[in-house]
Amino acid sequence: MNTGSARTPKLGVQAASKVYTTASGDLLALDRCSLDVHANEIVSIVGPSGCGKTTLLWSMSGLHRLTSGSILLDGKEIAGPRPEIGIVFQEANLLPWRNLDANINFPFEIKGEKPDRAWIAHLLNRVGLDGFGGKFPRELSGGMQQRAAIVRALALKPSVLLMDEPFGALDSFTREEMNRLVEEIWLDTKTTIVFITHSIEEAIFLSNRVVVLSARPGRVAKEYNVPFPRPRSLEIMATKEVFDLTNRIKMDIVGERRPKGSEQPEHKSAEIVRIRP
Ligand SMILES: Nc1ncnc2c1ncn2[C@@H]1O[C@H](COP(=O)(O)OP(=O)(O)OP(=O)(O)O)[C@@H](O)[C@H]1O
């Protein structure tokens, strides 16, 4: 499914800046933010609230235009949404008047393409929604709706899946279940995933790399490789190494949140930290 080479990042963010024009003036959300995501990686993006995570993800999807800078997919600049890039939002956004099958078919109808039924059946089975195709969103729990949203995105066989805090609204038990599901799907498909979350535990559980953004305007402040073996069992997640890494990232975010007076923080190029398993 992936075509990126070892040299060319699957998704490249180059000096991305985004200014929102608001009633009270211009707001710089991203400031020359650069980041490479390699094929088959799961990269999580964390950072203080309002630092520009969603802005960055939407820019990566082509849904948001950057003020300056560029987004490259397999080395080629993108100028708008691309079929190779799927996205899952915090809300499942299923159409309430369509049943699950019809919701999953919807993007294909828009594109005038035939869905790959065998692949969709495989995905529904993978996420435990076998036999639910005739159900309407109101008949499904929040976790089931989000699983359906993941199937809808993966049905299009994207080579990159962008996930914007997809499990933020779920209870912690369902959230852990969903994290295991994403890991399983990734082990299955090796789809490149960029995942935004407020939960450092979730980021560490899922990722090959965790990227910490600075306080707004967002830039990459730090990166951590996450070398723990997969599947990441409860035992692995309870180790001192995971605990220490969680705390380091927490401290980074708290540090970024601290008021820095009127000066803009000066960001050095991102430090890459390697943790031994
Ligand atoms: N459409 C918009 N118009 C104006 N300002 C916006 C818009 N979208 C986001 N912003 C502002 O840009 C900044 C970054 O927002 P963004 O949602 O990208 O941050 P975030 O890190 O995802 O936030 P959170 O952690 O709260 O989810 C915030 O100050 C936000 O208020």
Side-chain angles (χ1 to χ4, degrees):
M1 202 185 283
N2 271 305
T3 54
S5 75
R7 291 223 174 131
T8 311
K10 184 76 202 163
L11 203 58
V13 179
Q14 294 187 341
S17 294
K18 175 74 182 177
V19 177
Y20 289 112
T21 305
T22 72
S24 51
D26 283 353
L27 184 147
L28 182 58
L30 294 176
D31 184 20
R32 290 160 292 152
C33 179
S34 294
L35 170 69
D36 283 343
V37 178
H38 297 283
N40 314 131
E41 265 195 307
I42 305 185
V43 173
S44 283
I45 299 174
V46 297
S49 186
C51 70
K53 299 181 289 296
T54 293
T55 302
L56 177 59
L57 198 86
W58 281 57
S59 304
M60 286 172 151
S61 74
L63 288 168
H64 259 6
R65 271 189 105 65
L66 289 169
T67 308
S68 63
S70 49
I71 306 293
L72 308 179
L73 176 68
D74 292 322
K76 292 199 190 85
E77 187 166 354
I78 62 166
R82 295 289 297 257
E84 302 96 319
I85 303 177
I87 186 157
V88 175
F89 304 95
Q90 181 166 359
E91 302 291 328
N93 295 321
L94 300 173
L95 299 171
W97 59 89
R98 287 183 159 231
N99 67 21
L100 206 90
D101 281 341
N103 264 289
I104 293 166
N105 284 342
F106 186 58
F108 293 94
E109 291 170 22
I110 291 180
K111 289 167 65 167
E113 282 177 18
K114 266 184 101 147
D116 180 340
R117 300 244 168 256
W119 173 237
I120 291 172
H122 168 77
L123 289 170
L124 284 170
N125 174 272
R126 200 77 189 77
V127 305
L129 285 177
D130 252 346
F132 284 86
K135 299 275 184 198
F136 286 85
R138 64 176 177 278
E139 300 176 278
L140 304 172
S141 69
M144 290 164 103
Q145 291 193 28
Q146 211 44 308
R147 280 187 259 162
I150 292 172
V151 171
R152 184 181 52 192
L154 288 175
L156 293 153
K157 300 182 184 168
S159 58
V160 178
L161 184 63
L162 306 177
M163 305 183 86
D164 187 2
E165 184 77 8
F167 311 134
L170 303 178
D171 65 85
S172 61
F173 185 73
T174 310
R175 188 172 187 154
E176 280 176 24
E177 224 177 65
M178 298 300 289
N179 287 337
R180 278 194 292 278
L181 179 67
V182 171
E183 188 189 48
E184 277 170 27
I185 289 175
W186 179 79
L187 287 168
D188 225 24
T189 62
K190 289 289 163 70
T191 305
T192 308
I193 297 177
V194 183
F195 195 97
I196 288 193
T197 179
H198 284 106
S199 161
I200 299 166
E201 290 77 9
E202 182 170 71
I204 292 176
F205 177 83
L206 284 175
S207 312
N208 303 84
R209 206 148 47 95
V210 176
V211 171
V212 182
L213 288 194
S214 67
R216 186 173 63 81
R219 288 180 87 174
V220 175
K222 275 218 170 144
E223 292 183 28
Y224 291 89
N225 284 319
V226 186
F228 310 119
R230 293 184 189 271
R232 294 190 175 151
S233 61
L234 285 175
E235 290 72 28
I236 291 171
M237 293 308 290
T239 57
K240 181 176 182 310
E241 286 76 11
V242 170
F243 179 79
D244 288 347
L245 179 56
T246 306
N247 279 334
R248 287 175 76 166
I249 298 174
K250 232 173 239 173
M251 296 299 282
D252 288 339
I253 295 175
V254 170
E256 284 296 337
R257 270 206 319 235
R258 218 168 274 146
K260 294 180 172 106
S262 55
E263 286 167 50
Q264 283 296 337
E266 232 183 67
H267 295 291
K268 289 178 255 145
S269 59
E271 183 183 332
I272 299 194
V273 184
R274 290 190 167 77
I275 313 286
R276 259 187 277 128

